[in-house]
Amino acid sequence: MTIEKEKQALSKKFHVLESSASVDRTETKIRETASTLNYVTPHFRADAEVEISPLKEGEIYTIGWVQAVTHMKFYNEYPSGTSSWEIQELNNGLSKAVSDADGRQYPWYGVTTERVTVKGPCSEQNVRILMNDNFSPTVSWAIPVGRDQPDTLRRVCRDQSFLVWLVIKNEITGDIHALRAYNWRAVINIAVDCTEDIGHRSKLLAPLYQDQPSELIELALPQSSLCSPRANEAQKFVWRTIDSELIFEVSCTPAVSSTTSLVSSAPSVAELRYPCRYSPY
C-alpha cells in the first residue's frame, strides 16, 4: 500500500474528536536549600480524544504522543565561567529534532496515559491520550568544579523548544502517521544574589508566564524524532571558563566515571560538585 493510500485508510479508521495543547498559567516556582537552587516550571499538557472505527482481525495500531527537542540553551552563570546542559546533535546541526521519548519504547513520550494500543477485531470505540511535561532541575550555588568553592551563582537561563505530535503507528507494518502537531517553548530567567540569605537569593525575571503552544499545519516527523539518541542520553554537562575555554564535558549516561573527557588542566571526577544526577529536567 502506498503512503498516500495508507493515509486515506487511516483517516477512515481514526477521527480526532478533540485535541488541545496548553501550558499552565502559573509562574515558575523557586526553592532554595543550603547548597542548591531548584526551580519547577509550569506544566505543558496535551490532550486528545480519538474515535476508532471497528478493526478487523490482525489489525493493531498504537495512538499516542511523540515529543522531540528542537532547541536547547540552558546555562548557569558564575563569575569564573558557565555550566551548561547541551545537546551536541542540535548545536552542530546534525539533527533538527532529538527524540524526547521516555526510553522504554520508542518513539513514545510515555507508555501510560501517553499512548493506547488497540487490536482487532473490535467494535467502534473512543480513546483519550494525555501527556504532560515540565522541568525541575537543581543548580549548585557554587561552581561545579573543585572543593570548598564559595557560593557565587549569578544567573540561571533556559530557552528550550519542542515539537509534539499525535501519532498513529501501524504495529504490523511499522508505518507512522501524524494526526496533529504542536510546538511549545519554555523560557526561564532567574537572577541570583548569593550575598543574600538562603530563601532570599533568587528572583524570577520576565517572562513570568510562558507562551501558549501553537498548532502546526505541517505534520511531518523527522526520523531523528523517532529513534535514539533521546534527549536524556544526548545531553552533556559542560563547564567553560569566563573566556570560553572548555574545561570538561560529561555525558549523562552511562555513569560519570566511565564517560568523562577532561582536558589536561581539568579537575578529577571526584572534584566535580555537580554530579550528573542533577539532570536538566
Side-chain angles (χ1 to χ4, degrees), residues 259-278:
T259 61
T260 306
S261 59
L262 306 171
V263 299
S264 58
S265 61
S268 69
V269 174
E271 292 177 309
L272 299 183
R273 290 174 53 91
Y274 204 130
C276 281
R277 67 174 179 271
Y278 293 154

Side-chain angles (χ1 to χ4, degrees), residues 9-265:
L10 289 176
S11 66
K12 295 179 181 179
K13 292 180 185 293
F14 301 91
H15 175 58
V16 180
L17 299 176
E18 184 179 357
S19 179
S20 64
S22 64
V23 175
D24 291 351
R25 184 69 175 172
T26 58
E27 294 185 13
T28 293
K29 295 179 174 60
I30 302 174
R31 302 167 181 166
E32 299 182 7
T33 70
S35 59
T36 61
L37 174 154
N38 167 254
Y39 65 85
V40 182
T41 64
H43 281 78
F44 165 82
R45 303 180 191 276
D47 183 354
E49 185 177 3
V50 180
E51 181 183 75
I52 306 171
S53 298
L55 299 181
K56 299 177 182 178
E57 178 74 37
E59 290 186 297
I60 306 174
Y61 293 92
T62 299
I63 311 162
W65 293 105
V66 172
Q67 178 165 273
V69 183
T70 57
H71 173 78
M72 181 171 174
K73 185 177 182 181
F74 176 17
Y75 65 91
N76 310 309
E77 181 182 305
Y78 302 85
S80 57
T82 60
S83 64
S84 61
W85 291 97
E86 303 178 10
I87 299 178
Q88 300 302 329
E89 284 80 355
L90 296 178
N91 292 346
N92 59 27
L94 290 178
S95 293
K96 293 184 178 180
V98 174
S99 170
D100 199 22
D102 71 352
R104 286 176 285 181
Q105 187 169 346
Y106 285 96
W108 311 109
Y109 179 76
V111 295
T112 54
T113 63
E114 300 87 359
R115 68 168 196 175
V116 174
T117 298
V118 289
K119 301 180 181 181
C122 64
S123 57
E124 181 180 296
Q125 58 183 297
N126 292 356
V127 297
R128 190 177 183 191
I129 310 102
L130 307 169
M131 70 161 281
N132 72 84
D133 189 14
N134 81 319
F135 319 131
S136 181
T138 301
V139 181
S140 172
W141 297 123
I143 66 170
V145 294
R147 296 184 176 90
D148 301 321
Q149 299 287 344
D151 293 355
T152 55
L153 179 65
R154 289 178 173 175
R155 193 80 171 262
V156 175
C157 297
R158 183 170 193 155
D159 186 346
Q160 193 164 358
S161 298
F162 302 84
L163 288 173
V164 181
W165 297 269
L166 177 64
V167 163
I168 298 175
K169 180 181 179 182
N170 185 324
E171 295 292 356
I172 305 302
T173 66
D175 291 337
I176 289 178
H177 300 286
L179 298 174
R180 295 289 188 274
Y182 302 91
N183 64 9
W184 68 284
R185 180 184 181 192
V187 180
I188 294 93
N189 290 301
I190 301 172
V192 180
D193 182 355
C194 285
T195 65
E196 297 290 338
D197 294 335
I198 298 295
H200 302 279
R201 291 182 168 183
S202 309
K203 181 180 180 181
L204 182 66
L205 305 179
L208 300 183
Y209 301 98
Q210 303 299 313
D211 290 340
Q212 292 300 310
S214 300
E215 185 170 357
L216 305 178
I217 297 175
E218 174 58 54
L219 301 180
L221 288 84
Q223 181 60 33
S224 57
S225 68
L226 303 173
C227 58
S228 64
R230 64 191 181 99
N232 279 10
E233 298 164 341
Q235 68 200 2
K236 294 183 177 182
F237 180 67
V238 178
W239 169 257
R240 292 183 176 88
T241 62
I242 196 66
D243 56 2
S244 298
E245 179 187 2
L246 176 64
I247 297 299
F248 69 72
E249 184 177 277
V250 183
S251 296
C252 283
T253 55
V256 174
S257 59
S258 62
T259 61
T260 306
S261 59
L262 306 171
V263 299
S264 58
S265 61

